[in-house]
Amino acid sequence: MLAWTIYISFFGALTLLLLPKGSTAVARILALLTATAGFEIALTAFLQHRTGELQTITRVPWIPSLGIEYHLAADGISLCLILLTGIIAITGILFSWNIVTRTKEFFSFYLLLIGSVYGVFLSYDLFLLFVFYEIVIIPKYFLIAIWGSTRREYGAMKLALYSFIGSAMVLIGVIAAYVEAGAKTMSVNDLAGFPFPLHFQMWAFPLVFVGFAILAGLWPFHTWAPTGHVAAPTAASMLLAGVVMKLGAYGCLRVAMTLFPLGLGPWGFHVLGLASWRDVFSLLAVIGIVYGAMVALVQKDFKFVIGYSSVSHMGFILLGLMTLNQIGISGAVIQMFSHGILAGLLFAIVGRMVYDRTHTRELTALGPMNLNKVIPFSAATFVLAGMASMGLPGFSGFVAELMILIGAWHAFPILAVCVGVGIVIGVVYIWRAMQKAFFAEPDDASTQSSLFPISFPERLGALILIGTSIAIGLYPQILLKVITPALNSPMFEGLRKGGW
């Protein structure tokens, strides 16, 4: 049944293209119904999947001569991210209800991207995973280049180039693993159990890890992210931060770390105090956390603040993965889910609730508009989303960051202290943006009355995202009950032997 998330999304994308010109309302409703159907399937599968262990959905030969199969399967980690995709798909459409330019084409690309993301999270054949991973690049390019705003062509091209470079690195590593293992299978499970030589893993691991981590916003390969977020329309920003960046982090865990766990081990020598790729990527993740927070602190553009905050929060995910202990990696998976929800909400507030009404993202220009009185729902929503992003108890971000910090304290105590600095700066930049955009001293009464009120679809989308974050924050066992068994499955045996 879970495979239908892919088929329904692709079918919806094709159907939208066949609609007659001018079918704006029909296109919106059809897109929402398609996304809702995908979400219901994802939610049902999540609730019925009690163990979290890997379960094959379908497995048939695709290119038998090369050992390539159409193999779809899901474990607890996949299910968390599929559920996240379903939530972001629905809310992104709700926040795009005002799209009037080439509406059916917009939602067609949107559903094509959603279907491809579902495909990546469900693929357990590396060739199939790579195919879906590449398809994602096409709709996200057109969504930004056609419906974007600030330097949209530049932002779309930069995102595409970074994605292609990362994909090329992944492809080289995957083909090398396939040949090294005897060129008989592309199955993730089979390759994860193959004893690749240490010298092979020592170069294949960083190649594949960085290839995926580029899309996850690993410093210093993160520069596409703020540019792409700012250039993208609201729904595309939500998809980029909410699920597309998670594809990179998911690939780091599912492919790079699973196939080449020995590549994380010691080199046998030291370079500037770094003794392994694990040390290197942990350091880069922490630099990303602190650097992203510091740059967000000085931004004048509201959307750039959220863009750089995404870089900072994605650093938490990569650090959690590098802890190589169960609490740290579990925290990283929860952070994937949590950041997807919260970043989507923050981009929706800035892009749809604020920019579409005020036509500016400059914090100094927003301040005098008295937005907390004119559109109080957006101010209240940003306060809640900001508190969640800061990592306050009761929200999903708190659980995720706490688990990552505990894991990092066991693995890298000094780096864990540095992460604390990033968290403090994160509180300051959210507080600064909140005060400047919504609670500054008003001085222009004429502007206040010109803003149209927050619509029902916007309110509904915001409530869904806030409610989800609070639900996970109050009862994280919702996700942990499927994440923990997945990490204890045979697929991650190599990583467990490596130290957790």
Side-chain angles (χ1 to χ4, degrees), residues 84-429:
L84 168 67
T85 304
I87 295 170
I88 296 297
I90 291 177
T91 52
I93 291 172
L94 292 174
F95 283 111
S96 304
W97 212 250
N98 63 324
I99 293 288
V100 293
T101 304
R102 303 173 67 178
T103 309
K104 66 172 188 174
E105 289 87 353
F106 175 85
F107 286 119
S108 180
F109 281 125
Y110 185 93
L111 292 178
L112 177 61
L113 195 155
I114 291 294
S116 308
V117 171
Y118 279 132
V120 172
F121 291 141
L122 288 174
S123 296
Y124 276 74
D125 182 282
L126 286 179
F127 183 77
L128 182 62
L129 185 150
F130 190 77
V131 168
F132 281 122
Y133 196 78
E134 289 300 289
I135 294 176
V136 169
I137 299 174
I138 300 169
K140 73 184 179 187
Y141 173 84
F142 285 108
L143 283 171
I144 297 173
I146 297 176
W147 290 274
S149 55
T150 310
R151 301 177 73 192
R152 59 189 182 187
E153 292 87 0
Y154 173 74
M157 184 56 67
K158 189 173 184 179
L159 171 58
L161 285 175
Y162 272 70
S163 299
F164 279 124
I165 292 170
S167 297
M169 296 171 68
V170 170
L171 183 61
I172 292 170
V174 167
I175 290 176
Y178 171 72
V179 173
E180 184 74 21
K184 294 180 180 177
T185 179
M186 280 280 193
S187 166
V188 176
N189 263 337
D190 296 343
L191 293 176
F194 186 82
F196 292 109
L198 176 61
H199 66 85
F200 176 84
Q201 297 196 38
M202 290 302 287
W203 69 261
F205 168 74
L207 183 72
V208 177
F209 187 90
V210 172
F212 279 117
I214 287 175
L215 199 56
L218 175 68
W219 187 90
F221 310 106
H222 66 285
T223 59
W224 67 267
T227 310
H229 289 317
V230 170
T234 298
S237 294
M238 294 176 68
L239 289 180
L240 272 178
V243 293
V244 173
M245 294 183 84
K246 309 305 174 295
L247 297 179
Y250 176 79
C252 289
L253 175 61
R254 180 70 75 193
V255 182
M257 296 173 63
T258 304
L259 265 59
F260 314 119
L262 298 181
L264 287 153
W267 297 327
F269 55 91
H270 291 257
V271 178
L272 301 175
L274 302 174
S276 66
W277 288 115
R278 181 188 177 199
D279 292 345
V280 172
F281 295 133
S282 301
L283 180 61
L284 295 182
V286 173
I287 292 175
I289 293 170
V290 178
Y291 171 83
M294 292 180 68
V295 178
L297 182 61
V298 297
Q299 291 302 306
K300 298 177 181 177
D301 187 311
F302 202 0
K303 209 169 185 182
F304 265 119
V305 175
I306 309 305
Y308 278 102
S309 79
S310 276
V311 174
S312 181
H313 283 97
M314 288 301 296
F316 278 95
I317 296 173
L318 297 172
L319 177 65
L321 295 179
M322 287 297 98
T323 62
L324 292 188
N325 51 54
Q326 188 158 322
I327 190 170
I329 296 180
S330 298
V333 178
I334 295 180
Q335 177 73 344
M336 290 186 207
F337 188 95
S338 173
H339 178 258
I341 295 293
L342 296 176
L345 179 56
L346 288 168
F347 277 117
I349 296 168
V350 176
R352 172 63 183 132
M353 293 184 183
V354 174
Y355 179 72
D356 283 357
R357 287 170 171 79
T358 63
H359 306 293
T360 181
R361 296 192 304 261
E362 291 296 320
L363 290 170
T364 53
L366 291 171
M369 294 184 183
N370 200 20
L371 296 182
N372 69 316
K373 298 288 179 58
V374 180
I375 44 176
F377 183 85
S378 64
T381 307
F382 188 82
V383 170
L384 288 173
M387 291 167 60
S389 183
M390 291 175 193
L392 261 64
F395 295 97
S396 55
F398 171 76
V399 178
E401 293 183 8
L402 178 65
M403 294 178 69
I404 292 170
L405 278 174
I406 293 173
W409 187 262
H410 286 297
F412 315 103
I414 297 176
L415 290 181
V417 174
C418 298
V419 171
V421 176
I423 292 175
V424 172
I425 300 173
V427 172
V428 177
Y429 73 69

Side-chain angles (χ1 to χ4, degrees), residues 408-485:
W409 187 262
H410 286 297
F412 315 103
I414 297 176
L415 290 181
V417 174
C418 298
V419 171
V421 176
I423 292 175
V424 172
I425 300 173
V427 172
V428 177
Y429 73 69
I430 287 291
W431 196 267
R432 170 181 173 268
M434 190 187 306
Q435 197 278 330
K436 281 185 171 291
F438 294 101
F439 299 101
E441 190 68 26
D443 63 2
D444 188 351
S446 61
T447 304
Q448 299 169 18
S449 61
S450 64
L451 304 184
F452 53 91
I454 304 296
S455 66
F456 174 74
E458 294 168 72
R459 291 173 186 268
L460 179 60
L463 292 174
I464 290 172
L465 295 173
I466 291 173
T468 304
S469 179
I470 293 175
I472 301 302
L474 295 178
Y475 192 62
Q477 194 64 20
I478 296 172
L479 299 182
L480 284 173
K481 70 176 183 180
V482 294
I483 294 172
T484 303

